[in-house]
Coordinates of all heavy atoms in Angstrom, one line a residue:
V1 N -2.3 -20.8 -10.7 CA -2.0 -20.5 -9.3 C -2.8 -21.3 -8.3 O -3.9 -21.8 -8.7 CB -2.2 -19.0 -9.0 CG1 -1.3 -18.1 -9.9 CG2 -3.6 -18.6 -9.1
T2 N -2.3 -21.5 -7.1 CA -3.0 -22.2 -6.1 C -4.1 -21.4 -5.5 O -4.2 -20.2 -5.7 CB -2.1 -22.6 -4.9 OG1 -1.7 -21.4 -4.2 CG2 -0.9 -23.4 -5.4
S3 N -5.1 -22.0 -4.9 CA -6.2 -21.3 -4.2 C -5.7 -20.5 -3.0 O -6.5 -19.6 -2.6 CB -7.2 -22.3 -3.8 OG -6.7 -23.3 -2.9
R4 N -4.5 -20.7 -2.6 CA -4.0 -19.9 -1.5 C -3.5 -18.5 -2.0 O -3.4 -17.6 -1.2 CB -2.8 -20.6 -0.8 CG -3.1 -21.8 -0.1 CD -1.9 -22.5 0.6 NE -0.9 -22.9 -0.5 CZ -1.0 -24.2 -1.0 NH1 -1.9 -25.0 -0.6 NH2 -0.1 -24.5 -1.9
S5 N -3.3 -18.4 -3.3 CA -2.7 -17.2 -3.9 C -3.7 -16.0 -3.8 O -4.9 -16.2 -4.0 CB -2.3 -17.4 -5.3 OG -1.4 -18.5 -5.4
I6 N -3.2 -14.8 -3.6 CA -4.1 -13.6 -3.7 C -4.3 -13.4 -5.2 O -3.5 -13.7 -6.1 CB -3.3 -12.4 -3.0 CG1 -4.3 -11.3 -2.8 CG2 -2.1 -12.0 -3.8 CD1 -3.7 -10.2 -2.0
T7 N -5.5 -12.8 -5.5 CA -5.8 -12.4 -6.9 C -5.3 -10.9 -7.1 O -5.1 -10.2 -6.1 CB -7.3 -12.5 -7.2 OG1 -8.0 -11.5 -6.4 CG2 -7.8 -13.9 -6.8
G8 N -5.2 -10.5 -8.3 CA -4.9 -9.1 -8.6 C -5.9 -8.2 -8.0 O -5.5 -7.2 -7.4
K9 N -7.2 -8.5 -8.2 CA -8.2 -7.6 -7.6 C -8.1 -7.5 -6.1 O -8.2 -6.4 -5.5 CB -9.6 -8.1 -8.0 CG -10.7 -7.2 -7.6 CD -12.1 -7.7 -8.0 CE -13.2 -6.7 -7.7 NZ -13.2 -6.2 -6.3
Q10 N -7.9 -8.6 -5.5 CA -7.8 -8.6 -4.0 C -6.6 -7.7 -3.6 O -6.7 -7.0 -2.6 CB -7.6 -10.0 -3.5 CG -8.9 -10.8 -3.4 CD -8.6 -12.3 -3.0 OE1 -7.6 -12.9 -3.4 NE2 -9.5 -12.8 -2.1
Y11 N -5.5 -7.9 -4.3 CA -4.3 -7.1 -3.9 C -4.5 -5.6 -4.0 O -4.2 -4.8 -3.1 CB -3.1 -7.6 -4.8 CG -1.8 -7.0 -4.4 CD1 -1.3 -7.1 -3.1 CD2 -1.0 -6.3 -5.4 CE1 -0.1 -6.5 -2.8 CE2 0.2 -5.8 -5.0 CZ 0.7 -5.9 -3.7 OH 1.9 -5.4 -3.4
G12 N -5.1 -5.2 -5.2 CA -5.3 -3.8 -5.4 C -6.3 -3.2 -4.4 O -6.1 -2.1 -3.8
D13 N -7.4 -4.0 -4.1 CA -8.4 -3.5 -3.1 C -7.8 -3.5 -1.7 O -8.1 -2.6 -0.9 CB -9.6 -4.5 -3.2 CG -10.4 -4.3 -4.4 OD1 -10.2 -3.3 -5.2 OD2 -11.3 -5.2 -4.7
F14 N -7.0 -4.5 -1.4 CA -6.4 -4.5 0.0 C -5.5 -3.3 0.2 O -5.7 -2.5 1.2 CB -5.5 -5.8 0.1 CG -5.0 -6.0 1.5 CD1 -5.5 -6.8 2.4 CD2 -3.8 -5.3 1.9 CE1 -5.0 -7.0 3.7 CE2 -3.3 -5.5 3.2 CZ -3.9 -6.3 4.1
L15 N -4.6 -3.0 -0.7 CA -3.7 -1.9 -0.6 C -4.4 -0.6 -0.6 O -4.1 0.4 0.2 CB -2.6 -1.9 -1.7 CG -1.6 -3.0 -1.7 CD1 -0.6 -2.9 -2.8 CD2 -0.9 -3.1 -0.4
S16 N -5.5 -0.4 -1.4 CA -6.2 0.8 -1.5 C -7.0 1.1 -0.2 O -7.0 2.2 0.3 CB -7.2 0.7 -2.6 OG -6.5 0.6 -3.9
A17 N -7.5 0.0 0.4 CA -8.3 0.2 1.7 C -7.3 0.6 2.8 O -7.6 1.4 3.6 CB -9.0 -1.1 2.0
V18 N -6.2 -0.1 2.9 CA -5.2 0.2 3.9 C -4.7 1.7 3.7 O -4.5 2.4 4.7 CB -4.0 -0.8 3.9 CG1 -2.9 -0.3 4.8 CG2 -4.5 -2.2 4.3
F19 N -4.5 2.0 2.4 CA -4.0 3.4 2.2 C -5.0 4.4 2.7 O -4.5 5.4 3.3 CB -3.8 3.6 0.7 CG -3.2 4.9 0.3 CD1 -1.9 5.2 0.4 CD2 -4.1 5.9 -0.1 CE1 -1.4 6.5 0.1 CE2 -3.6 7.2 -0.4 CZ -2.3 7.5 -0.4
D20 N -6.2 4.2 2.5 CA -7.2 5.2 2.9 C -7.2 5.4 4.4 O -7.3 6.5 4.9 CB -8.6 4.8 2.5 CG -8.8 4.9 0.9 OD1 -8.0 5.6 0.3 OD2 -9.8 4.3 0.4
E21 N -7.1 4.2 5.1 CA -7.0 4.3 6.6 C -5.7 5.0 7.0 O -5.7 5.8 8.0 CB -7.0 2.9 7.2 CG -6.9 2.8 8.7 CD -8.1 3.2 9.5 OE1 -9.1 3.5 8.9 OE2 -8.0 3.3 10.7
W22 N -4.6 4.7 6.4 CA -3.3 5.3 6.7 C -3.3 6.8 6.4 O -2.8 7.6 7.2 CB -2.3 4.6 5.9 CG -0.9 5.1 6.0 CD1 0.0 4.9 6.9 CD2 -0.2 6.0 5.0 NE1 1.2 5.6 6.7 CE2 1.1 6.3 5.5 CE3 -0.6 6.5 3.8 CZ2 2.0 7.1 4.8 CZ3 0.3 7.4 3.1 CH2 1.5 7.6 3.6
L23 N -3.9 7.2 5.2 CA -3.9 8.6 4.8 C -4.7 9.4 5.8 O -4.4 10.6 6.1 CB -4.5 8.7 3.4 CG -4.5 10.1 2.8 CD1 -3.1 10.5 2.5 CD2 -5.3 10.1 1.5
A24 N -5.8 8.8 6.4 CA -6.6 9.6 7.3 C -6.0 9.8 8.7 O -6.3 10.7 9.3 CB -8.0 8.8 7.4
H25 N -5.1 8.8 9.1 CA -4.7 8.8 10.5 C -3.2 8.7 10.7 O -2.7 9.1 11.8 CB -5.4 7.7 11.2 CG -6.9 7.7 11.1 ND1 -7.7 8.6 11.8 CD2 -7.7 6.8 10.5 CE1 -8.9 8.3 11.5 NE2 -9.0 7.3 10.7
D26 N -2.4 8.1 9.8 CA -1.1 7.6 10.2 C 0.1 8.1 9.3 O 1.2 7.6 9.5 CB -1.2 6.1 10.1 CG -2.2 5.5 11.1 OD1 -2.4 6.0 12.2 OD2 -2.9 4.6 10.6
V27 N -0.1 9.1 8.5 CA 1.0 9.6 7.7 C 2.1 10.1 8.6 O 1.8 10.9 9.5 CB 0.6 10.6 6.7 CG1 1.8 11.1 5.8 CG2 -0.5 10.1 5.7
G28 N 3.3 9.7 8.5 CA 4.4 10.2 9.3 C 4.5 9.4 10.6 O 5.5 9.6 11.4
E29 N 3.5 8.5 10.9 CA 3.6 7.7 12.1 C 3.8 6.2 11.9 O 4.5 5.6 12.6 CB 2.3 7.9 12.9 CG 2.1 9.3 13.5 CD 3.1 9.7 14.5 OE1 3.5 8.7 15.3 OE2 3.5 10.8 14.6
V30 N 3.1 5.7 10.8 CA 3.3 4.3 10.4 C 3.9 4.3 9.0 O 3.4 5.1 8.2 CB 1.9 3.6 10.4 CG1 2.1 2.2 10.0 CG2 1.3 3.6 11.8
F31 N 4.9 3.5 8.8 CA 5.5 3.5 7.5 C 5.3 2.1 6.8 O 5.7 1.1 7.4 CB 7.0 3.7 7.7 CG 7.3 5.1 8.3 CD1 7.3 5.2 9.7 CD2 7.4 6.2 7.6 CE1 7.5 6.4 10.3 CE2 7.6 7.5 8.1 CZ 7.7 7.6 9.5
I32 N 4.7 2.2 5.7 CA 4.3 1.0 4.9 C 5.2 1.0 3.6 O 5.1 1.9 2.8 CB 2.8 0.9 4.6 CG1 2.1 0.9 6.0 CG2 2.5 -0.3 3.7 CD1 0.6 1.0 5.8
Q33 N 5.9 -0.1 3.4 CA 6.9 -0.1 2.4 C 6.4 0.3 1.0 O 6.9 1.1 0.3 CB 7.6 -1.5 2.3 CG 8.7 -1.6 1.3 CD 9.2 -3.0 1.1 OE1 8.4 -3.9 0.8 NE2 10.5 -3.2 1.2
I34 N 5.3 -0.3 0.6 CA 4.7 -0.1 -0.8 C 4.3 1.4 -0.9 O 4.4 2.0 -2.0 CB 3.6 -1.0 -1.1 CG1 3.1 -0.8 -2.6 CG2 2.4 -0.9 -0.1 CD1 4.2 -1.1 -3.6
F35 N 3.9 2.0 0.2 CA 3.5 3.5 0.1 C 4.8 4.3 0.0 O 4.8 5.3 -0.8 CB 2.7 3.9 1.3 CG 1.4 3.1 1.6 CD1 0.8 3.2 2.8 CD2 0.9 2.3 0.6 CE1 -0.4 2.6 3.0 CE2 -0.3 1.6 0.8 CZ -0.9 1.7 2.0
D36 N 5.8 4.0 0.7 CA 7.1 4.7 0.6 C 7.7 4.5 -0.9 O 8.2 5.5 -1.4 CB 8.1 4.2 1.6 CG 7.8 4.5 3.0 OD1 7.0 5.4 3.2 OD2 8.3 3.9 3.9
V37 N 7.6 3.3 -1.4 CA 8.1 3.0 -2.7 C 7.3 3.8 -3.8 O 7.9 4.4 -4.7 CB 8.0 1.5 -3.0 CG1 8.2 1.2 -4.5 CG2 9.0 0.8 -2.2
T38 N 6.0 3.9 -3.6 CA 5.2 4.6 -4.6 C 5.5 6.1 -4.5 O 5.6 6.8 -5.6 CB 3.7 4.3 -4.3 OG1 3.5 2.9 -4.3 CG2 2.8 5.0 -5.4
L39 N 5.6 6.7 -3.3 CA 6.0 8.1 -3.2 C 7.3 8.3 -3.9 O 7.5 9.3 -4.5 CB 6.0 8.5 -1.7 CG 6.3 10.0 -1.4 CD1 5.3 10.9 -2.1 CD2 6.3 10.2 0.1
G40 N 8.3 7.4 -3.7 CA 9.6 7.6 -4.3 C 9.4 7.6 -5.8 O 10.1 8.4 -6.5
A41 N 8.6 6.8 -6.4 CA 8.4 6.8 -7.8 C 7.9 8.1 -8.3 O 8.2 8.5 -9.5 CB 7.5 5.6 -8.2
H42 N 7.1 8.8 -7.5 CA 6.5 10.1 -7.9 C 7.6 11.2 -8.0 O 7.3 12.2 -8.5 CB 5.4 10.5 -7.0 CG 4.1 9.9 -7.4 ND1 3.1 10.5 -8.1 CD2 3.6 8.6 -7.1 CE1 2.1 9.7 -8.3 NE2 2.3 8.6 -7.7
V43 N 8.7 10.9 -7.4 CA 9.9 11.9 -7.4 C 11.1 11.3 -8.2 O 12.2 11.8 -8.1 CB 10.3 12.4 -6.0 CG1 9.1 13.1 -5.4 CG2 10.7 11.2 -5.1
G44 N 10.8 10.1 -8.9 CA 11.9 9.5 -9.7 C 12.9 8.7 -9.0 O 14.0 8.4 -9.5
L45 N 12.5 8.2 -7.8 CA 13.5 7.4 -7.0 C 12.9 6.0 -6.9 O 11.7 5.8 -6.6 CB 13.7 8.0 -5.6 CG 14.3 9.4 -5.5 CD1 14.4 9.9 -4.1 CD2 15.7 9.4 -6.2
Y46 N 13.7 5.0 -7.0 CA 13.3 3.6 -7.0 C 14.1 2.8 -5.9 O 15.3 2.7 -6.1 CB 13.4 2.9 -8.3 CG 12.5 3.6 -9.4 CD1 12.9 4.6 -10.2 CD2 11.1 3.3 -9.4 CE1 12.1 5.2 -11.1 CE2 10.3 3.9 -10.3 CZ 10.8 4.9 -11.2 OH 9.9 5.5 -12.1

């Protein structure tokens, strides 16, 4: 991969950090696709 590419660790840490901020303040106000998709998976929807 090129040096411009994100690493797996960076991707997981990025999403986790944003999720924590979103969970504390923005559920129901800001909609982030990967969070919606993940919630869907928890109820069997893709």
Side-chain angles (χ1 to χ4, degrees):
V1 299
T2 67
S3 58
R4 292 180 295 272
S5 301
I6 193 170
T7 67
K9 184 179 188 308
Q10 284 177 317
Y11 187 53
D13 290 347
F14 185 101
L15 293 182
S16 297
V18 172
F19 181 83
D20 291 346
E21 176 75 6
W22 175 81
L23 186 66
H25 305 288
D26 302 317
V27 180
E29 293 294 326
V30 179
F31 300 89
I32 298 175
Q33 184 189 51
I34 185 62
F35 300 167
D36 290 344
V37 167
T38 305
L39 181 58
H42 276 263
V43 297
L45 299 175
Y46 297 96

